[in-house]
Amino acid sequence: MVKTIKMLSPEAGRTDTAGLRAFDADALARCTADTAQPWWRRRACAEALAGRVPERRVPALIARVQDTGDVSEVRIALLTLLADRPELLPWLRHEDRDQDGAYGMAGAVLGARGALGDLTAAGALATLAFSPWRHHRETGEAGLDALAARYGFEAVLAELGEARPEDRSTGIRLRHHAGGDIIDALADPDRAVAYRAQEFLTDPERLRGYLAGAPTAEAKLWAAYALHRLTDDAAETRRLYEELGRPRVEVAGLDEELRAAIVHEYGQWAEERSDPRWRIEAVCTQPPPASDPAERLLRATAALTAAGLAPKPPVSCGEDNGSGEGTYDVIGYGTSDSTVFISTLGRFATGGDDPDVRRALESAGFRWIDQAVGSIQVTDLGVYYFGSRDPLNVHTLLFYWQD
């Protein structure tokens, strides 16, 4: 039986990609341009046309790109497909593109401008490449790489300057790929720029040499962190940590027990703009004593039972919220919807204002996190939380859930 496009893509999420790639290109182009077809089938057809767009179908496909009422997923796939069509460039550069608020279109337009050699897009592409969101970053970097391949990286840098951190970040990346030395960027005043610079460094000896004369304390920390990333030599990193005076971010009210739990859960994996002292502290200090989460839940349940609070079986925060995961388990109790949270990061518990619950858990060795302690802001430690990458408070970090 000869398969049709509909048979090869019968529903969303069920596409025979190889089959579509082998299908007649003219038929695929007609399907892509046909707004009566489901958007997911049209997108699949556009992707299957890579490298073989029928010339006579180009005007119809461009019309679909330019139709702001069409589905953005199809338009974005078509921009990728038609990124070698210079006739698109005037439309892409028109000021009206700034008003196209369809999801993903702004980045796709910029990426296409880069692919088509529009040097005037370099600044906006640098901004996109500096995004914390990976898909934005990849689009921006691809556009900048296309410009650098066509004109040379110096021409791209001439469009940018040094004033903005995103421009400096792009300069670091392009110079590195061209074989330049970018180690001085470890002293950049913007932590995201310094973080990205250390990601590119690959020579331990060069880093050791830089440490002796690094111009700022943070530059030394970034060098030490990059060196540890390359060598995984904890002893050397601890020696450097001691030589640097065991630097750390002091947070008022954050005692050593709380600090150890937080730094060893989040320190090394913090967001780019986090203070590098958190990263080094996570490498160089002792983690909290190991404990058994299952035993902790049994102990909490037993304490609540002994207090006559009728606890229910514990569930993870992901199960309690219906999805996701995090750093606490939930124990419901009584006949209402009352709950108590038991952290997976240590002996920390929290809940409502029921003094009987607090007394029961404290008697079983738990530490109750009240509003005063829970509201302490852990400064300069960026942790991703529902789209934000800003510092969080103690309560959110100990009892963290992410969908």
Side-chain angles (χ1 to χ4, degrees):
M1 176 188 297
V2 177
K3 292 188 176 181
T4 64
I5 291 176
K6 186 174 182 178
M7 293 168 65
L8 293 169
S9 55
E11 59 186 44
R14 284 185 58 206
T15 298
D16 181 349
T17 302
L20 282 180
R21 285 178 180 163
F23 207 82
D24 176 67
D26 198 70
L28 290 172
R30 291 199 309 273
C31 181
T32 302
D34 184 1
T35 56
Q37 293 289 333
W39 69 264
W40 42 266
R41 180 175 293 143
R42 295 171 62 210
R43 181 179 66 181
C45 288
E47 292 168 347
L49 276 170
R52 56 192 190 107
V53 180
E55 189 67 26
R56 68 194 187 104
R57 300 294 177 187
V58 169
L61 297 177
I62 287 179
R64 297 275 55 79
V65 171
Q66 296 176 338
D67 181 0
T68 58
D70 207 340
V71 180
S72 60
E73 285 85 349
V74 177
R75 297 173 69 206
I76 291 168
L78 282 170
L79 272 178
T80 302
L81 179 68
L82 301 172
D84 60 344
R85 306 300 305 199
E87 61 266 41
L88 264 174
L89 194 51
W91 179 84
L92 291 168
R93 295 182 64 177
H94 195 278
E95 61 185 12
D96 286 352
R97 301 294 76 71
D98 296 335
Q99 311 306 316
D100 190 340
Y103 179 77
M105 281 302 297
V109 165
L110 281 172
R113 287 175 64 186
L116 286 167
D118 181 7
L119 264 177
T120 67
L125 285 167
T127 299
L128 201 62
F130 200 57
S131 169
W133 297 99
R134 186 176 67 178
H135 60 291
H136 291 325
R137 183 181 305 187
E138 290 175 347
T139 299
E141 289 178 349
L144 290 163
D145 289 346
L147 292 176
R150 181 175 295 207
Y151 303 109
F153 79 93
E154 292 290 0
V156 178
L157 296 185
E159 294 287 322
L160 301 178
E162 294 285 330
R164 302 188 308 162
E166 52 264 52
D167 295 341
R168 299 196 300 276
S169 178
T170 291
I172 290 164
R173 180 173 171 275
L174 293 181
R175 287 190 181 95
H176 169 72
H177 289 321
D181 185 3
I182 51 121
I183 200 166
D184 287 346
L186 294 178
D188 195 281
D190 188 286
R191 285 174 179 153
V193 176
Y195 177 85
R196 294 193 182 181
Q198 69 80 28
E199 285 188 305
F200 289 124
L201 299 171
T202 58
D203 184 349
E205 288 306 315
R206 180 77 176 92
L207 284 163
R208 292 185 181 104
Y210 176 81
L211 270 163
T216 67
E218 283 208 8
K220 293 182 186 227
L221 288 168
W222 286 119
Y225 183 70
L227 184 60
H228 181 80
R229 172 179 56 79
L230 293 172
T231 66
D232 201 28
D233 186 344
E236 180 180 29
T237 308
R238 291 191 188 102
R239 177 180 60 77
L240 293 170
Y241 179 60
E242 294 292 337
E243 291 175 0
L244 293 171
R246 299 176 61 85
R248 71 180 199 169
V249 179
E250 296 296 346
V251 179
L254 189 70
D255 61 44
E256 295 307 311
E257 182 182 30
L258 293 169
R259 186 182 191 96
I262 289 169
V263 75
H264 285 281
E265 177 68 16
Y266 302 102
Q268 284 203 71
W269 322 118
E271 292 295 317
E272 293 177 357
R273 284 194 166 85
S274 298
D275 193 306
R277 290 177 288 179
W278 288 114
R279 301 179 192 277
I280 296 296
E281 184 178 346
V283 171
C284 296
T285 60
Q286 289 297 318
S291 60
D292 182 357
E295 184 278 331
R296 193 182 299 134
L297 290 174
L298 286 173
R299 183 157 41 91
T301 300
L304 294 171
T305 300
L309 293 166
K312 300 167 186 174
V315 296
S316 69
C317 60
E319 184 176 350
D320 184 64
N321 286 291
S323 63
E325 56 186 11
T327 65
Y328 67 96
D329 295 294
V330 180
I331 302 177
Y333 63 91
T335 57
S336 67
D337 293 330
S338 298
T339 59
V340 63
F341 294 174
I342 307 296
S343 178
T344 61
L345 304 186
R347 62 184 190 101
F348 312 111
T350 197
D353 298 324
D354 191 333
D356 292 335
V357 173
R358 178 171 182 170
R359 278 195 296 270
L361 291 174
E362 287 182 334
S363 69
F366 287 89
R367 178 177 175 180
W368 191 260
I369 303 300
D370 58 19
Q371 197 277 332
V373 172
S375 64
I376 295 170
Q377 194 81 359
V378 182
T379 51
D380 294 313
L381 178 67
V383 175
Y384 180 83
Y385 189 62
F386 289 97
S388 170
R389 291 170 167 83
D390 295 329
L392 301 173
N393 62 28
V394 165
H395 182 279
T396 306
L397 292 168
L398 295 181
F399 307 100
Y400 177 95
W401 170 70
Q402 180 64 54
D403 193 2

